[in-house]
């Protein structure tokens, strides 16, 4: 059996949907905080049990009979994410599953300036010492985050943000499908597996894309604070994009 945590969330909920296209429903289980919110899965034959990282005993029961467990990373900015992940890993080990999969992040590292990446790296260290085979799904930055990072560019005609570098913005739906393919497939992936878009882009590139799709010039405005708060504007570069 494949058990998926966080299945009422956007990422792992989509993973379960993709799994249902690949394996029989009776071979899928979900571990969720609120079982009522997963009734739509239960109605289709998926095993639904209550479980959370705050309750080791309940979590272990929700993992009973699992061959593989997909642990979703905590998204609570106020929680000790690594401690919560440790509980999840301990529950999988206690349940006797043969493999743990974990939703990590590309570039996970203990010295990363991006704090969640340090939490992911610490969790991967726990996985490596668990005694159970593991796969860390290092997903790229989710593209839906651009909705608030880019600001109201449709109204202003500008994308205003600090200087940036190329980022492989990744569709969360693609990450969910990739997880399902790995869970349901015959190929074994050991350790970290990076799952990102094929191309990394900057805000300059995105401004060029926005100009193309909106049929008007969208400017890239770089905000800098070298000597007070000021900005400089630069036109979007035109380039061809390949999907």
């Amino acid at each position: 059996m494949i058990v998926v945590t966080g299945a009422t969330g956007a990422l792992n909920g989509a993973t379960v949907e993709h799994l249902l296209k690949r394996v029989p429903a009776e071979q899928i289980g979900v571990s969720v905080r609120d079982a009522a919110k997963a009734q739509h899965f239960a109605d289709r034959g998926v095993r639904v049990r209550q479980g959370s990282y705050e309750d080791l005993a309940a979590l272990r029961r929700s993992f009973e009979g699992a061959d593989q467990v997909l642990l979703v990373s905590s998204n609570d900015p106020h929680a000790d994410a690594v401690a919560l992940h440790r509980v999840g890993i301990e529950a999988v080990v206690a349940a006797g599953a043969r493999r743990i999969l974990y939703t990590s992040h590309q570039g996970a590292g203990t010295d990363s300036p991006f704090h969640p990446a340090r939490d992911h790296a610490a969790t991967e260290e726990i996985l490596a010492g668990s005694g159970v085979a593991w796969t860390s799904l290092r997903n790229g930055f989710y593209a839906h985050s651009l909705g608030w990072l880019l600001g109201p560019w449709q109204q202003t005609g500008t994308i205003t943000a600090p200087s940036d570098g190329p980022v492989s913005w990744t569709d969360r739906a693609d990450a969910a499908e990739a997880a399902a393919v790995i869970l349901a497939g015959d190929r074994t992936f050991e350790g970290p597996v990076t799952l990102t878009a094929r191309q990394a882009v900057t805000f300059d590139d995105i401004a060029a894309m926005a100009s193309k799709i909106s049929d008007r010039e969208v400017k890239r405005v770089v905000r800098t604070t070298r000597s007070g708060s000021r900005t400089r504007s630069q036109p979007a570069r035109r380039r061809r994009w390949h999907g």
Side-chain angles (χ1 to χ4, degrees), residues 10 37 52 77 87 93 121 163 184 232 237:
K37 292 183 178 180
S52 75
V87 171
V93 173
S163 180
R232 63 182 175 84
R237 291 183 288 115

Side-chain angles (χ1 to χ4, degrees), residues 26-218:
E26 60 268 22
Q27 295 180 17
I28 304 171
V30 299
S31 174
V32 295
R33 287 180 176 274
D34 185 348
K37 292 183 178 180
Q39 186 60 45
H40 60 294
F41 288 135
D43 292 341
R44 295 155 70 185
V46 173
R47 190 185 79 179
V48 175
R49 291 186 179 177
Q50 191 278 330
S52 75
Y53 292 154
E54 288 84 6
D55 187 340
L56 176 60
L59 200 61
R60 179 178 176 178
R61 285 193 297 273
S62 71
F63 294 162
E64 286 178 353
D67 185 50
Q68 301 183 84
V69 176
L70 174 59
L71 297 176
V72 68
S73 54
S74 171
N75 63 358
D76 184 348
H78 305 295
D80 183 341
V82 178
L84 293 177
H85 299 160
R86 185 187 296 276
V87 171
I89 293 166
E90 290 175 353
V92 177
V93 173
R98 68 171 179 84
R99 178 171 295 277
I100 306 171
L101 292 91
Y102 167 73
T103 58
S104 185
H105 194 278
Q106 80 175 109
T110 56
D111 59 349
S112 174
F114 180 54
H115 189 275
R118 299 198 294 271
D119 289 344
H120 290 305
T123 300
E124 290 179 358
E125 290 180 1
I126 299 171
L127 286 166
S130 68
V132 176
W134 61 282
T135 303
S136 180
L137 307 175
R138 289 186 171 180
N139 297 335
F141 280 95
Y142 296 134
H144 67 269
S145 301
L146 289 170
W148 54 270
L149 285 175
L150 298 181
W153 67 269
Q154 295 98 327
Q155 291 76 41
T156 64
T158 62
I159 293 174
T160 303
S163 180
D164 68 310
V167 176
S168 53
W169 296 104
T170 306
D171 189 338
R172 183 170 56 191
D174 289 343
E177 183 174 8
V181 169
I182 291 172
L183 282 163
D186 296 327
R187 180 180 173 185
T188 299
F189 292 85
E190 302 292 345
V193 177
T194 299
L195 302 171
T196 70
R198 291 176 293 176
Q199 189 171 26
V201 297
T202 65
F203 284 157
D204 286 347
D205 299 325
I206 293 172
M209 297 170 69
S211 297
K212 181 178 179 180
I213 65 174
S214 63
D215 198 29
R216 63 169 176 153
E217 183 181 14
V218 177

